[in-house]
Amino acid sequence: MNTELLAKLDSLDTRNAALAMLSENPELIDQTICEKLMEIIAQPESIENTNRFASLIEETEDPAFIQPLIDKVSTAKLEKAPWLADYLYALVMLLDEREEAYPAEDTLVHRLGDWLLHTGGGEISWKSGDILSNLSNPNTQDYLTKGALDQRLFHLTRIACLSGIMNLHREHAPALLEKLLNDPNEEIRESAKRAEEFLQRASTD
């Protein structure tokens, strides 16, 4: 069965039907199929439904998909990548499963930072903030700080950036929290207050 399925995934004529079958029967995914899906990640233009494909990748919970997603996202041009939001979603979900931040190259961090701050505060910005808060790279600190303070952004994006500072750059958290405690947005103020209380408890333990 999987040999036939693999052949269908390999052919552009039958790929989308095979992906639809996998979405309905994820138990068919074995190591060979996983390797083929990693190849397909690099060819989003061959995928009819990238939203369904991203959900399939996410449902595997396989961290091996993280790097292929990063490789493709790192070269994406926003105006020519209708699949980007779906790929970012899959990447967010897989990174969230990790206990430690994922080591990232500067190229990815700067690209995500640009999307975080300069795409109008929508879905791409939000997901970029979520991903940055899960990456190990010193350059994330500046972007996460700016994202947390940027009142133009969706409050959940800003909270993700704050979480990234707390988890990855805690030495910079007090100065950031001092500003956020007086933020006009109630959700931001509450998140900052909880973070401050956490730091206070941690300092007495």
Side-chain angles (χ1 to χ4, degrees), residues 145-159:
T145 299
K146 290 178 179 177
L149 292 170
D150 194 335
Q151 296 177 20
R152 300 170 302 171
L153 303 184
F154 186 36
H155 75 276
L156 291 177
T157 306
R158 299 178 66 195
I159 290 170

Side-chain angles (χ1 to χ4, degrees), residues 41-45 47 50-51 54 69 71-78 80-89 115 124:
I41 285 173
Q43 306 164 42
E45 65 282 350
I47 305 169
T50 54
N51 182 275
L69 287 167
D71 291 343
K72 191 59 183 178
V73 166
S74 294
T75 62
K77 294 182 178 180
L78 191 61
K80 297 181 179 180
W83 45 266
L84 182 59
D86 296 327
Y87 273 35
L88 291 178
Y89 162 78
W115 292 339
I124 297 296

Side-chain angles (χ1 to χ4, degrees), residues 116-117 141-151 153 161 176:
L116 167 68
L117 300 172
Q141 187 266 321
D142 183 55
Y143 290 118
L144 290 170
T145 299
K146 290 178 179 177
L149 292 170
D150 194 335
Q151 296 177 20
L153 303 184
C161 291
L176 175 61

Side-chain angles (χ1 to χ4, degrees), residues 97-121:
E97 292 292 323
R98 289 175 53 88
E99 294 184 1
E100 298 180 353
Y102 191 86
E105 298 290 334
D106 292 350
T107 301
L108 175 66
V109 172
H110 292 314
R111 183 154 302 213
L112 291 169
D114 181 57
W115 292 339
L116 167 68
L117 300 172
H118 303 122
T119 55

Side-chain angles (χ1 to χ4, degrees), residues 7-27:
K8 290 181 178 180
L9 288 170
D10 205 34
S11 170
L12 294 179
D13 293 333
T14 55
R15 174 170 294 172
N16 287 295
L19 289 173
M21 179 185 295
L22 281 176
S23 294
E24 296 174 1
N25 303 278
E27 69 278 3

